[in-house]
Amino acid sequence: MLVDTGACERNVHLCHHGRSEPGCGDCAVRPISVCSVLTLPELDQLEALSQHLTLDKGQTLFGQGEPADFVFNVIEGCLRLTRLLPDGRRQVMGFALPGDFLGLALQERYTVSAEALGHVRTCRFDREDFAAVTEANARLLKSLHDRARFELTLAHDQMLLLGRRTAEEKVAAFLLSLKDRFARIGHNSVTVELPMGRQDMADYLGLTIETVSRMLSRLDRAHSILLVPGGVRLLDQDRLERLAAS
């Protein structure tokens, strides 16, 4: 296994694709990733440029302000995307799930930090190498544009969450949004995994951790959800949707 200098500072594991690793053609997230539009020969070309990067809980994929030298495809796990404000406060900007592509912004430095919330596997590409492949493949370029539109939709949803909704409406909307995102990767269940903690949810929704806990308990008592280890079960999705639409 090869480890580069930057990865070594964070004690993450970096390796080139090998026979023990599934290739791009067998990747579990290929159907929902930007590379889904590529043919097998084109995937082979992309695979030659890629490296697998593995992180444990709490390790950082990249930090805010670091040179944006790489782009990443999330294969497994969940990452918390945060921005440190000038006054030292932390704002959670979002959560990256399998199939998400990170580092596509045009800035020369990452505007957020990406931290693993558990075991995470990503596929890493040198940004310039990936840009060259993209420029030569119109279908991949369109796929990236579609991904950018999806991320813009998530950003708009975040703006609505931080708007004039009540705390209960914010929590309901967050749970439904997370359910929809998990459904995109084939986890279509009434039980929604919560890889993030209550504080992460609070920082994302612009609430306090006490308020988030209180709203989850209120929804649980109202039989709208059932709190279970590691997540929530959506018992009354119609009511949650009414709250989210308020």
Side-chain angles (χ1 to χ4, degrees):
M1 179 172 291
L2 303 176
V3 181
D4 71 356
T5 304
C8 194
E9 293 176 356
R10 298 193 181 96
N11 197 31
V12 298
H13 306 291
L14 173 67
C15 65
H16 293 280
H17 284 292
R19 291 184 180 179
S20 62
E21 292 280 358
C24 288
D26 300 318
C27 180
V29 298
R30 180 192 170 199
I32 57 169
S33 183
V34 294
C35 52
S36 62
V37 298
L38 299 180
T39 64
L40 288 178
E42 290 169 338
L43 281 174
D44 289 340
Q45 177 189 10
L46 191 63
E47 184 175 335
L49 303 175
S50 68
Q51 297 169 312
H52 276 174
L53 193 65
T54 302
L55 299 90
D56 294 324
K57 182 177 181 180
Q59 293 182 321
T60 303
L61 183 63
F62 54 80
Q64 178 180 341
E66 291 181 357
D69 295 332
F70 300 98
V71 295
F72 305 86
N73 192 25
V74 183
I75 301 172
E76 177 185 345
C78 177
L79 296 119
R80 174 179 56 221
L81 308 178
T82 63
R83 181 176 295 173
L84 193 64
L85 303 179
D87 60 5
R89 289 179 298 166
R90 182 192 76 161
Q91 175 65 49
V92 174
M93 307 301 294
F95 303 95
L97 298 177
D100 287 343
F101 212 85
L102 302 177
L104 291 176
L106 297 178
Q107 290 92 337
E108 294 184 357
R109 295 184 178 273
Y110 297 115
T111 59
V112 298
S113 296
E115 184 180 356
L117 293 175
H119 177 75
V120 167
R121 288 196 305 127
T122 71
C123 206
R124 188 179 89 164
F125 303 90
D126 179 88
R127 185 171 181 168
E128 292 186 0
D129 289 344
F130 189 81
V133 173
T134 302
E135 291 171 3
N137 191 301
R139 285 176 288 108
L140 181 57
L141 182 61
K142 181 180 182 303
S143 182
L144 288 170
H145 286 165
D146 291 341
R147 170 62 58 174
R149 283 194 291 270
F150 173 71
E151 292 181 356
L152 185 60
T153 298
L154 292 180
H156 286 165
D157 290 343
Q158 169 70 345
M159 291 174 63
L160 287 174
L161 278 176
L162 296 177
R164 297 186 177 182
R165 282 175 166 160
T166 67
E168 187 178 29
E169 292 164 356
K170 288 181 179 182
V171 171
F174 174 76
L175 295 177
L176 289 174
S177 174
L178 202 57
K179 178 183 182 298
D180 290 342
R181 292 188 65 195
F182 275 123
R184 288 185 67 251
I185 60 177
H187 300 171
N188 197 359
S189 171
V190 294
T191 300
V192 178
E193 179 187 355
L194 293 178
M196 66 291 297
R198 299 287 192 268
Q199 187 64 62
D200 294 332
M201 292 175 59
D203 290 346
Y204 180 69
L205 297 173
L207 302 171
T208 66
I209 187 173
E210 294 82 7
T211 299
V212 167
S213 296
R214 190 166 62 251
M215 293 304 104
L216 288 172
S217 296
R218 177 187 293 181
L219 291 170
D220 182 86
R221 289 195 303 271
H223 304 294
S224 296
I225 65 172
L226 176 65
L227 296 174
V228 297
V232 298
R233 188 167 299 153
L234 308 186
L235 302 179
D236 191 345
Q237 190 165 322
D238 288 341
R239 180 173 184 269
L240 292 173
E241 290 175 349
R242 288 195 298 271
L243 285 170
S246 299

